Amino acid sequence: MAAGALLAGAVAVTPLVYLLIRTAEAGWERVAEELLTTRVALLASRSLLLAAVVTTACLVLGAGTAYLVVRTDLPGRRFFGVLAALPLAVPTYVAGFCWIAAVDAFEGFWAAALLLTLCSYPYVYLPVAAALAGADPAQEEVARSLGHGPWRTLTGVTLRQIRPAVAAGGLLVALYVLSDFGAVSLTRFHTFTVAIFTAVDLGFDKTGALVLSTVLVVLTVALLAGEMATRRRGARYARVGSGARHQAPQRKLGAWRWPLAGALSGVAFLSLGVPALSLAQRMIEGVSRADPLGEVAVAAGNSLRVSALGAALSVLLALPVGLYAVRGSGWLPGLLERVSYAGHGLPGLVIGLSLVAFGVHVVYPLYQTTTMLALAYAVLFLPLAVGSVHAAAAQAPPGLEEVARSLGRTPWSVFRTVTIPLTAPGIATGAALVMLTCMKELAATLMLRPTGMDTLATELWTQTSAGAYAGAAPYAALLVALSAIPTWLLVRGNYRELS
Amino acid sequence: MRTPRVLAAAVTAVTALALAACGSGSGKEATAEPSPAGDGKITIYSGRTEKLIKPLIENFEKASGVKVEVRYDDTAKLAAQLLEEGGKTKADLYFAQDAGGLGAVAKAGLFAALPKDVTSKVPAEYRAANDQWVGVTGRSRVLVYNSDLVQAADLPKTVFDLKDPRWKGKIGIAPTNGSFQSFVTAIRVSQGDDAAKAFLKNLKDNDVQSRSGNALIVEDVNSGKLAAGLVNHYYVYEKAKEKGTTPDGLKAKLHFFRGGDPGALVNVAGVGVLKQAAKDPDVRKFVDYLLSADGQKYFAEQTYEYPLVAGVATAPGLPSLKDLNPPKVDLNDLDSLQQTIAIIKGSGLVP
């Protein structure tokens, strides 16, 4: 387990090693000239402010939706359960594009914040829904029986039970906001990532872009430390006592049922409906047509294949990290878990460049192969899987493994027959999350894909960059439609827990 | 606990990886050959979009029997990738949107000089002085304007007139775009750094509207969100094509600056051949095809750019290359971008 976790850590820090080497090559003078400016301070504070606002909004929206869908008698909650996860399939560059076409003067801080919230609240919703479905209601019942009201039980017990999932989701959103380029560039809110892309676009200044990226690394470390500070020592998330876990009771919403359903419909309209309508309008207006069906199918197949590969590799690396973090002792497990987040706060462009260097100089036979692309996805999205595995492992009582060991099972056998089944929901959630995110990744995909291979995301980029919006629409629609499959599998798991 | 031993092993592995990366970080290793010369296969890194050049490449494949693999990304990203790959690139040829991208790769010493009989097909002002790259097509900077919002008589005589208060908040630019940089370089080279600084400052003071690309400017001008914008000429044709009409059917119209104004810079899209492919006959066939009558005609008719080889007609409705009155700017100067970039960054128009 430790060895696997260390290997995953090594993969995650690859881009950091590259950044350090290139920054050192640039020389301190250049670094100081590039970084010690008011411009950098301004950009960093903008990025952080945006991350703070979007994360807060996503926590409220994501956790609230999860609670309504999993624990209440909301009408049509299965439907909303799937719907709330789907925005994950909408790339920010597509959503942004649709919004600026639909709304005049859609630009600046609040526009960027709205877009990013609508596209990334599922990062909170999904793990929290899984945690709510998997949490043992016995603790809540004990609290109620001891005289706590519903509100105190919610804040004092339920929220604490799902804290790891909420924190993991919030962290993912914050890091995602740091690394996003699509939403901020289209809404013209200049954050750090925009400056990094601009350095490459303006004069092909690779070194300047990389030196600037080191600031994102520092911001990432700060966010990780912040999340760490919210953790409670010795907290237990697994159930206590014997017997089978039973279903959590449904909270009756009463008169709030329909207004809340209306609110969720509103969110779905903003996150999915606006892009869909805008694309449909362009499809009607435009005369460009998508490529022949065969090419669309090939791109869809490629998307599924490389995303599945990326998801598989991410989960494989995330499993030891997540388990070690929960079961291991000392400082190393926690550190390795933090390290796995390293790549998530960096833009795909920087990950792409670093793996180009890694491919060219270290593993040349793998350069521009799907394996390399899957590796890039793992570096970028490892924490999505680590967070899910961690949350699931934390809810699995460690006693079961200890009992299996004491009855003479080998560690491998315990891992296979006890640990894996117990963490399976987390593994599935992680795999689906990573897969969904890989499908829409663009910058690293363009840089690392095998020459000549098209995916839905690259085709979408090809069509829109040539202004062929009507031709782009089928790719966008297919991207969302295909993403609905892993989303459905993901969400279905939560319902099996209920009925 | 087994952890310490495992930890030691893993730390060793990570260090080895890091050292390997350090040791080879300088990018000076032996050249790897991407595709062996004359094997009937070539690899292109294309900053030009697939939508525009795929049919051309298919025509070439049919005509020559050479199989072409293309890696599409934007010009700047591909330049950054080529610089990172150095001598180990898998590319045989780099097809860039503008002279600046070609210049950056040429400066890193990655291109082989093209034979004189290739480069001599193109006028001297549209190729590298040292034959490192050659222009394939020309694109003119223009002012695109909305004919409902701007009367032809009110159009500015020179790009410097855009500081006039009547354009306040109405002009779109794409300051991170390669062609905008080339245009600012043209101001610098022809009128000096101070003129370029003053120009950008005036634009900013006049509340100029930034967009991330030329296509978005044309879109906003056509819909009336902007009155006018500085773009390359062919974006209007692209827009017309998507709307299923001709440029006459759009609200967005072209205005060419005259009298050697920097606002009328003619830049090129062009190609350079990577060193390891210098002797590959298949690559040579492709370059020849781009500069053949067929290739040039394709660009004139399908992408509405200016053919650079004599004897091929410009798309109807466009003034001919000879009638344009571009500023005297050496495209070789466009790789000396650092000064331009410093000025653009200093203007506050980009983050």
Side-chain angles (χ1 to χ4, degrees):
Chain A
M1 201 157 70
L6 281 165
L7 176 69
V11 168
V13 296
T14 314
L16 297 193
V17 172
Y18 166 79
L19 273 186
L20 285 179
I21 293 171
R22 285 288 181 264
T23 308
E25 277 175 9
W28 291 118
E29 209 172 305
R30 175 80 202 272
V31 173
E33 175 199 332
E34 198 73 56
L35 294 186
L36 301 178
T37 61
T38 47
R39 166 176 169 256
V40 165
L42 179 70
L43 290 170
S45 54
R46 276 189 178 152
S47 283
L48 281 177
L49 187 65
L50 188 64
V53 168
V54 173
T55 307
T56 310
C58 285
L59 285 177
V60 173
L61 197 56
T65 307
Y67 186 81
L68 288 176
V69 165
V70 177
R71 287 287 178 89
T72 69
D73 61 345
L74 184 83
R77 57 206 194 94
R78 275 158 193 269
F79 173 70
F80 284 117
V82 177
L83 214 56
L86 273 183
L88 215 48
V90 182
T92 52
Y93 51 88
V94 171
F97 191 75
C98 294
W99 273 86
I100 53 174
V103 179
D104 273 352
F106 189 75
E107 58 181 75
F109 178 81
W110 293 108
L114 176 69
L115 263 184
L116 283 165
T117 302
L118 289 175
C119 289
S120 49
Y121 81 91
Y123 283 136
V124 178
Y125 161 72
L126 283 168
V128 172
L132 277 175
D136 186 355
Q139 291 191 17
E140 293 166 42
E141 283 154 15
V142 170
R144 291 302 300 272
S145 73
L146 291 176
H148 275 25
W151 178 249
R152 259 186 90 183
T153 308
L154 178 69
T155 55
V157 180
T158 316
L159 272 186
R160 287 183 187 213
Q161 274 183 318
I162 58 168
R163 203 214 61 89
V166 173
L171 191 56
L172 291 177
V173 171
L175 293 177
Y176 181 75
V177 172
L178 288 188
S179 69
D180 176 76
F181 175 68
V184 286
S185 70
L186 284 166
T187 55
R188 296 187 282 281
F189 180 68
H190 293 157
T191 61
F192 229 95
T193 307
V194 179
I196 290 169
F197 274 73
T198 303
V200 171
D201 285 343
L202 270 182
F204 324 101
D205 183 10
K206 188 167 59 85
T207 309
L210 295 174
V211 170
L212 283 176
S213 304
T214 57
V215 177
L216 279 184
V217 175
V218 173
L219 294 184
T220 303
V221 171
L223 284 176
L224 290 171
E227 192 263 351
M228 199 102 133
T230 69
R231 293 201 177 188
R232 291 182 310 139
R233 300 220 167 269
R236 180 183 169 107
Y237 302 104
R239 40 189 298 272
V240 186
S242 56
R245 188 164 60 76
H246 67 96
Q247 265 184 44
Q250 269 189 8
R251 176 101 183 262
K252 299 274 181 274
L253 292 172
W256 286 96
R257 282 183 84 210
W258 290 102
L260 284 168
L264 289 193
S265 310
V267 172
F269 174 76
L270 294 180
S271 56
L272 299 165
V274 170
L277 286 176
S278 177
L279 283 174
Q281 189 194 356
R282 278 163 187 279
M283 202 156 153
I284 295 162
E285 279 176 1
V287 296
S288 64
R289 284 293 164 251
D291 305 312
L293 211 57
E295 273 180 49
V296 180
V298 168
N302 285 336
S303 270
L304 288 175
R305 193 164 50 91
V306 294
S307 304
L309 260 176
L313 187 59
S314 302
V315 166
L316 216 56
L317 291 169
L319 201 54
V321 177
L323 290 174
Y324 193 39
V326 176
R327 300 282 188 261
S329 56
W331 51 269
L332 186 62
L335 177 71
L336 286 176
E337 192 189 17
R338 307 285 93 187
V339 161
S340 74
Y341 281 76
H344 199 58
L346 289 170
L349 172 68
V350 174
I351 301 294
L353 276 175
S354 70
L355 287 182
V356 166
F358 183 68
V360 165
H361 300 308
V362 185
V363 288
Y364 194 57
L366 291 183
Y367 186 51
Q368 292 183 357
T369 63
T370 43
T371 313
M372 198 74 194
L373 188 53
L375 187 68
Y377 290 153
V379 171
L380 275 165
F381 306 131
L382 189 58
L384 300 181
V386 169
S388 307
V389 171
H390 183 137
Q395 284 187 338
L400 292 180
E401 288 164 17
E402 285 153 17
V403 167
R405 284 285 280 149
S406 74
L407 292 175
R409 291 278 183 103
T410 61
W412 171 243
S413 164
V414 173
F415 179 72
R416 218 164 28 84
T417 57
V418 181
T419 315
I420 290 290
L422 283 176
T423 45
I427 295 173
T429 308
L433 265 179
V434 175
M435 178 143 181
L436 283 172
T437 313
C438 289
M439 300 256 281
K440 61 180 181 176
E441 205 289 328
L442 183 61
T445 308
L446 283 173
M447 215 165 243
L448 294 167
R449 62 182 165 156
T451 298
M453 188 192 82
D454 290 322
T455 68
L456 292 174
T458 65
E459 284 287 358
L460 200 53
W461 169 81
T462 298
Q463 304 280 341
T464 48
S465 62
Y469 304 122
Y475 288 107
L478 203 54
L479 191 60
V480 177
L482 283 180
S483 302
I485 303 167
T487 308
W488 168 242
L489 294 175
L490 201 70
V491 178
R492 205 188 48 170
N494 295 339
Y495 292 116
R496 214 177 286 131
E497 298 281 343
L498 297 173
S499 54
Chain B
M1 279 296 274
R2 294 180 311 131
T3 312
R5 216 171 59 216
V6 178
L7 175 63
V11 167
T12 316
V14 174
T15 318
L17 275 182
L19 285 178
C22 293
S24 49
S26 54
K28 286 195 188 79
E29 13 339 72
T31 303
E33 80 255 76
S35 46
D39 66 345
K41 227 180 83 185
I42 62 172
T43 303
I44 299 173
Y45 279 16
S46 172
R48 310 219 53 189
T49 157
E50 181 169 8
K51 203 80 185 154
L52 295 183
I53 69 161
K54 195 176 177 193
L56 171 90
I57 285 173
E58 283 170 353
N59 293 345
F60 166 71
E61 284 182 319
K62 265 188 223 123
S64 67
V66 174
K67 168 114 186 55
V68 183
E69 296 252 304
V70 195
R71 181 168 201 87
Y72 295 99
D73 201 336
D74 56 54
T75 296
K77 311 276 186 312
L78 283 172
Q81 183 159 8
L82 280 165
L83 297 179
E84 194 62 62
E85 292 174 338
K88 287 182 115 176
T89 182
K90 301 200 177 199
D92 295 315
L93 182 123
Y94 174 41
F95 197 166
Q97 284 267 35
D98 61 61
L102 292 165
V105 176
K107 220 174 191 178
L110 299 175
F111 284 147
L114 292 159
K116 282 270 182 263
D117 56 326
V118 171
T119 53
S120 60
K121 290 180 186 165
V122 172
E125 60 264 40
Y126 300 124
R127 55 178 147 102
N130 52 10
D131 292 333
Q132 296 269 310
W133 53 262
V134 62
V136 173
T137 54
R139 54 263 305 275
S140 175
R141 294 290 298 173
V142 294
L143 183 81
V144 58
Y145 66 98
N146 182 304
S147 54
D148 284 350
L149 301 173
V150 181
Q151 300 306 309
D154 296 337
L155 286 166
K157 297 280 171 291
T158 146
V159 75
F160 297 102
D161 288 348
L162 294 177
K163 70 180 176 196
D164 192 292
R166 71 196 168 96
W167 297 111
K168 196 169 180 74
K170 293 179 177 170
I171 300 292
I173 58 169
T176 57
N177 200 272
S179 48
F180 184 82
Q181 293 162 45
S182 298
F183 155 65
V184 174
T185 307
I187 300 181
R188 272 185 51 227
V189 173
S190 60
Q191 321 231 347
D193 285 7
D194 289 340
K197 271 184 210 161
F199 172 72
L200 293 179
K201 181 175 184 309
N202 290 338
L203 281 187
K204 187 161 165 55
D205 292 347
N206 219 8
D207 195 20
V208 72
Q209 303 291 306
S210 290
R211 296 288 182 269
S212 58
N214 289 315
L216 293 173
I217 296 177
V218 171
E219 163 133 359
D220 282 353
V221 168
N222 193 51
S223 68
K225 283 183 192 168
L226 291 170
L230 293 170
V231 295
N232 292 339
H233 76 272
Y234 52 88
Y235 285 93
V236 171
Y237 287 83
E238 257 175 31
K239 184 80 198 165
K241 213 176 185 182
E242 170 68 5
K243 291 243 175 197
T245 172
T246 58
D248 290 338
L250 295 181
K251 298 273 182 237
K253 306 285 178 202
L254 295 182
H255 171 56
F256 291 83
F257 291 105
R258 300 284 166 182
D261 192 80
L265 175 75
V266 173
N267 199 346
V268 296
V271 295
V273 172
L274 278 300
K275 269 190 176 149
Q276 62 274 13
K279 303 252 180 305
D280 190 335
D282 301 325
V283 175
R284 171 68 194 268
K285 273 185 209 161
F286 184 69
V287 178
D288 284 341
Y289 184 77
L290 290 176
L291 300 176
S292 69
D294 280 351
Q296 293 282 300
K297 203 162 153 252
Y298 173 85
F299 285 112
E301 290 171 0
Q302 299 300 319
T303 70
Y304 311 99
E305 290 169 283
Y306 285 105
L308 295 179
V309 175
V312 182
T314 304
L318 276 180
S320 79
L321 195 54
K322 276 199 200 76
D323 293 337
L324 291 182
N325 204 337
K328 293 272 167 281
V329 172
D330 187 348
L331 293 182
N332 289 288
D333 291 338
L334 296 186
D335 73 347
S336 68
L337 274 170
Q338 287 318 313
Q339 191 59 23
T340 305
I341 289 157
I343 290 175
I344 295 180
K345 279 188 179 165
S347 72
L349 289 169
V350 297

